[in-house]
Amino acid sequence: MRSATESGEQNVRGQAVASPEIPVEQIRAALDKLLASPGFVNADRLTRFLRYVVDTTLEGQTDKLKETMLGIEVFGRKPTYDPRIDAVVRTEAVKLRARIKEYYETEGREDRVCIDMPKGGYVPVFRLREEPVETAPADVASFIAEPNRLNREKIAIGLLIALILAGSVWFAVRKSGRAGRSADLSSIAVLPFEDLSPQHDQEYFCDGMTEEIIDALTKLDGFRVVARTSSFAFKGKQQDIREIGKKLNVGAVLEGSVRKFGNKLRVTAQLNSVADGYHLWSDTYERELPDVFSVQDEISHAIVNTLQVKLGSQRSTVRPKPENLETYDLYLKGRYHWSRWRTEGAEKAQHYFEQAIARDPSYAPAYAGLADSYCWLGFFSALRPTEAMPKARAAALKAIQLDDSLAAAHVSMGYVKALYDFDLTGAEREFRRAIELNPGLSDGHFGYGIAYLAPFKKLPEAIREMKIARDLDPLSLAANTYLGLTYQMYGKDDQAILYYKKALELDPGFFEAHMCLAEVYTHKRMFKEFYEELDKARGEGISSRIELIRGLGQALQGKSAEALATVRPWERPANGVYVRPTAIANVYAVLGQREQSIRWLEKAYQERDGMLMFTNTDSLYKPYWSDPRFADLMQKIGMP
């Protein structure tokens, strides 16, 4: 296999590497690890940029890595793009080089294969570090040589230790409370465990175990547990516990580390008070890595029984376990990509969930994840609703059939019923069932608030539920953005803007926040800011959504001819492109062309455009409330 690095090239420590052979699969693995780091996980533009230049280089097509081509292919500029006028490629390249440098100086400091993009061009180079001084023992090397075996065993161990830690945290909380300490233990964040293994090969194990602890604790009564999205925002970052506590609004933080040596695994965990940084509890666990499947079941059931007796809790802390433990690894990858709230994230999540189902057709969480992926793709215009939502319904039904106690499955079904079936009674039942099963699940409150209460104009109640969702997941892009949208529906635009900007502080490239902020600026007649937000959203999301809201703004400014010129090309889109009929109806509503607007709203009903559920809360349609055709349409979708 040809080397990916030229002879004599300098490695990241400044020493020459003599014609190293770097297999392509190792470069791709290094790229995946880099893009999964905190600096890239929510940076969609930079992720897309780096993946494109690496893939293009590995395909031997470096002649395509020119500024003009990158502007068109990566950042969605038009074929007439002129980099002398629009410096997006150069600007993003500066950011990309800085993020790469930061990664290799922090969590990637021990990576064997490194990726860089030198100044003066856009062709990446691939380098080898010098061999680490510390070498793995023979038994560790044998585990590295057997990745499938390692994968199965480390996940099984993770499930086991996660349950033990969850129980230990609860006992520590109770003990601390009885001791009269002033620490606020009504809320907790579980930070991603750090991989301290010599080979740094336990990242997925650490992530999986962290998620298991979070999941176990959310199902116990008594305190609020911060969701995965917010906890994982601190992955690989060294910050003061008190600062983390302020950002997540919690009283206690659980953190820890994992070290694998030989055929043993050592996990250290400690619970700290945010108020003063005081250690409330700590412990170390060591486990062998033989056949742990039966041992896991035995200990996990013992812990659950003990917790129920000691704490009076009747909730099970045991998540349904897949037959094949590799299934769980695929499931975690799916949830990671799903949480990014991007089209490509939902598509990748769909891929991983389908792989998990293929390995274990009885694993209910994977079906719930698949349903969520199809719901996202169908609602946000990546696929036609009539194509995506029936698949979402089938996956959600299968998840519920396999495990009716799985809260996430009922959330998925709630979205299908609200946004496709237009069955709000059924949607309410599913969302309430999810919250009953797991009150600590942010997604349950989120779905209930935005997809049921908000369309029904129960806006104070919707804001209450969205606040709960946001409090459970304070750094979630979606929770902040859609809390803002709920305020906007309630006519509180200034509060909406605060939450949109909060989401953009967390991720300046988050498409949904840009779109919501652009729309609310039209309410305030801030059209300069409106167009600026649309420009920022370019290249980050689906073009039809950007252009049709542009047409809406033009119509609101009285620029009728421009608005019509913007909207009409989207009335007959290219094959394979789906455009929301409601987005076209909105423009015609502002232009005062009622017949056209009603026609597109009826088309929205035929195509099951989920945005139709929110027309009853949109002030654009207030003049239509007395129109019998509009009233009939609202009745069809279950609106009062």
Side-chain angles (χ1 to χ4, degrees):
M1 183 177 296
R2 284 187 56 80
S3 167
T5 310
E6 296 298 325
S7 176
E9 194 167 69
Q10 297 293 309
N11 74 0
V12 293
R13 295 183 181 176
Q15 299 180 359
V17 178
S19 302
E21 294 292 327
I22 309 180
V24 170
E25 57 268 22
Q26 289 188 17
I27 295 172
R28 293 197 184 280
L31 175 64
D32 289 341
K33 188 172 186 293
L34 175 58
L35 295 181
S37 67
F40 283 89
V41 68
N42 286 320
D44 188 56
R45 274 191 170 195
L46 298 184
T47 294
R48 189 166 61 248
F49 192 0
L50 183 57
R51 188 174 291 283
Y52 180 87
V53 298
V54 170
D55 287 346
T56 302
T57 299
L58 294 179
E59 291 165 4
Q61 300 182 36
T62 54
D63 57 308
K64 294 173 63 176
L65 299 181
K66 307 297 183 184
E67 194 167 350
T68 301
M69 184 64 72
L70 289 169
I72 297 168
E73 295 292 328
V74 178
F75 298 105
R77 297 311 192 245
K78 295 180 179 179
T80 56
Y81 169 64
D82 185 346
R84 293 172 299 179
I85 299 173
D86 182 352
V88 63
V89 179
R90 276 165 284 160
T91 301
E92 294 301 317
V94 171
K95 296 178 185 176
L96 179 59
R97 293 184 184 108
R99 293 286 177 92
I100 292 173
K101 182 175 183 291
E102 181 184 2
Y103 170 77
Y104 286 119
E105 288 176 349
T106 54
E107 62 262 34
R109 59 187 175 274
E110 300 297 332
D111 286 8
R112 177 71 174 136
V113 178
C114 303
I115 300 170
D116 195 9
M117 191 170 73
K119 293 181 179 179
Y122 305 105
V123 179
V125 296
F126 313 111
R127 298 168 171 159
L128 285 176
R129 290 184 189 266
E130 61 192 36
E131 291 290 344
V133 175
E134 183 178 9
T135 58
D139 49 0
V140 174
S142 69
F143 269 80
I144 296 172
E146 299 180 74
N148 290 335
R149 175 186 170 196
L150 174 61
N151 196 40
R152 291 192 301 271
E153 291 171 346
K154 72 182 183 181
I155 294 174
I157 286 284
L159 293 171
L160 165 63
I161 297 178
L163 287 166
I164 295 175
L165 286 175
S168 300
V169 169
W170 257 98
F171 286 124
V173 168
R174 294 293 173 159
K175 181 178 178 181
S176 174
R178 287 194 299 270
R181 290 179 183 154
S182 61
D184 173 16
L185 299 176
S186 62
S187 54
I188 185 172
V190 183
L191 299 185
F193 276 46
E194 184 179 1
D195 178 16
L196 298 181
S197 301
Q199 298 303 313
H200 295 282
D201 58 352
Q202 302 299 302
E203 183 176 4
Y204 266 113
F205 170 79
C206 293
D207 290 356
M209 185 177 66
T210 305
E211 181 143 338
E212 282 299 318
I213 297 170
I214 293 171
D215 185 74
L217 291 174
T218 60
K219 294 178 181 176
L220 292 172
D221 295 317
F223 56 23
R224 177 175 63 87
V225 184
V226 171
R228 179 192 191 279
T229 308
S230 294
S231 291
F232 273 67
F234 296 94
K235 183 177 177 181
K237 298 179 181 178
Q238 298 297 322
Q239 293 195 39
D240 185 88
I241 289 295
R242 285 165 289 191
E243 283 301 311
I244 293 174
K246 289 179 183 177
K247 290 180 179 179
L248 297 180
N249 190 29
V250 295
V253 171
L254 177 70
E255 59 180 347
S257 63
V258 174
R259 178 183 290 272
K260 182 169 75 66
F261 53 100
N263 66 338
K264 291 185 178 180
L265 203 68
R266 178 181 296 152
V267 177
T268 301
Q270 60 184 25
L271 186 68
N272 304 311
S273 167
V274 165
D276 52 14
Y278 187 83
H279 294 297
L280 303 175
W281 161 84
S282 63
D283 209 340
T284 299
Y285 305 84
E286 285 192 9
R287 292 292 182 274
E288 300 284 342
L289 284 170
D291 177 14
V292 297
F293 211 18
S294 60
V295 177
Q296 175 206 334
D297 279 342
E298 178 185 344
I299 296 180
S300 63
H301 279 94
I303 292 171
V304 170
N305 290 336
T306 301
L307 289 174
Q308 288 177 340
V309 171
K310 295 289 185 181
L311 305 176
S313 172
Q314 298 303 311
R315 298 187 184 277
S316 171
T317 62
V318 181
R319 171 186 286 181
K321 294 182 287 295
E323 292 291 332
N324 185 330
L325 290 174
E326 291 176 3
T327 302
Y328 184 63
D329 189 42
L330 292 166
Y331 170 77
L332 285 180
K333 290 178 181 178
R335 277 297 172 195
Y336 158 73
H337 286 290
W338 154 252
S339 67
R340 298 179 64 198
W341 267 69
R342 261 85 170 178
T343 299
E344 60 269 31
E347 290 170 344
K348 288 180 181 178
Q350 172 196 335
H351 172 71
Y352 282 117
F353 291 136
E354 286 174 341
Q355 286 190 66
I357 290 168
R359 288 183 177 273
D360 184 357
S362 65
Y363 189 46
Y367 286 100
L370 184 60
D372 288 340
S373 300
Y374 275 121
C375 279
W376 201 100
L377 294 168
F379 181 74
F380 288 102
S381 306
L383 294 173
R384 288 185 177 278
T386 50
E387 176 186 352
M389 300 301 270
K391 295 177 181 177
R393 188 208 328 277
L397 276 172
K398 183 66 174 177
I400 292 171
Q401 289 170 2
L402 289 169
D403 183 6
D404 185 61
S405 68
L406 183 63
H410 290 280
V411 174
S412 304
M413 183 58 76
Y415 283 126
V416 173
K417 288 189 174 296
L419 303 176
Y420 184 73
D421 292 342
F422 301 138
D423 174 10
L424 284 177
T425 300
E428 180 187 24
R429 181 175 61 250
E430 296 296 338
F431 289 132
R432 283 184 174 274
R433 173 67 172 153
I435 294 170
E436 176 189 356
L437 289 167
N438 189 349
L441 181 66
S442 174
D443 289 347
H445 296 281
F446 182 98
Y448 185 43
I450 199 66
Y452 173 74
L453 293 170
F456 256 130
K457 295 185 181 179
K458 298 181 178 182
L459 294 169
E461 296 94 332
I463 288 172
R464 180 199 65 214
E465 291 298 318
M466 297 302 289
K467 279 185 173 180
I468 293 172
R470 194 252 182 189
D471 288 346
L472 289 168
D473 204 354
L475 301 186
S476 164
L477 301 174
N480 279 283
T481 299
Y482 287 94
L483 174 55
L485 181 60
T486 311
Y487 273 115
Q488 182 179 323
M489 293 178 189
Y490 202 24
K492 299 180 182 296
D493 289 345
D494 290 337
Q495 289 95 323
I497 289 172
L498 289 175
Y499 284 105
Y500 296 151
K501 289 186 174 180
K502 172 63 175 177
L504 290 171
E505 286 174 10
L506 296 169
D507 180 0
F510 188 49
F511 180 75
E512 297 302 325
H514 281 302
M515 297 300 287
C516 289
L517 189 53
E519 183 177 350
V520 80
Y521 280 148
T522 65
H523 297 180
K524 298 177 76 65
R525 316 302 290 180
M526 298 168 63
F527 288 104
K528 178 178 178 291
E529 293 81 358
F530 165 75
Y531 289 113
E532 287 174 351
E533 288 305 316
L534 293 186
D535 289 342
K536 292 174 185 176
R538 288 180 64 184
E540 299 289 351
I542 295 172
S543 298
S544 66
R545 294 182 59 196
I546 297 173
E547 291 309 308
L548 287 170
I549 197 171
R550 185 186 303 278
L552 183 70
Q554 291 166 339
L556 287 166
Q557 283 183 283
K559 299 178 179 180
S560 301
E562 291 182 28
L564 287 172
T566 300
V567 74
R568 280 175 176 160
W570 296 107
E571 294 186 35
R572 294 183 179 179
N575 289 336
V577 176
Y578 175 71
V579 177
R580 283 174 171 170
T582 51
I584 297 175
N586 292 345
V587 179
Y588 281 120
V590 175
L591 291 173
Q593 297 190 21
R594 180 172 297 198
E595 295 302 318
Q596 285 280 59
S597 184
I598 291 287
R599 181 170 70 85
W600 282 100
L601 288 176
E602 289 173 344
K603 185 176 177 61
Y605 175 72
Q606 294 164 7
E607 295 186 1
R608 288 302 204 257
D609 177 358
M611 280 300 296
L612 191 61
M613 295 299 301
F614 300 93
T615 53
N616 206 30
T617 65
D618 196 325
S619 59
L620 293 177
Y621 293 99
K622 191 172 183 179
Y624 289 36
W625 291 353
S626 60
D627 190 309
R629 294 170 298 175
F630 187 80
D632 181 60
L633 191 60
M634 292 299 100
Q635 187 175 10
K636 286 180 181 178
I637 64 174
M639 291 285 106

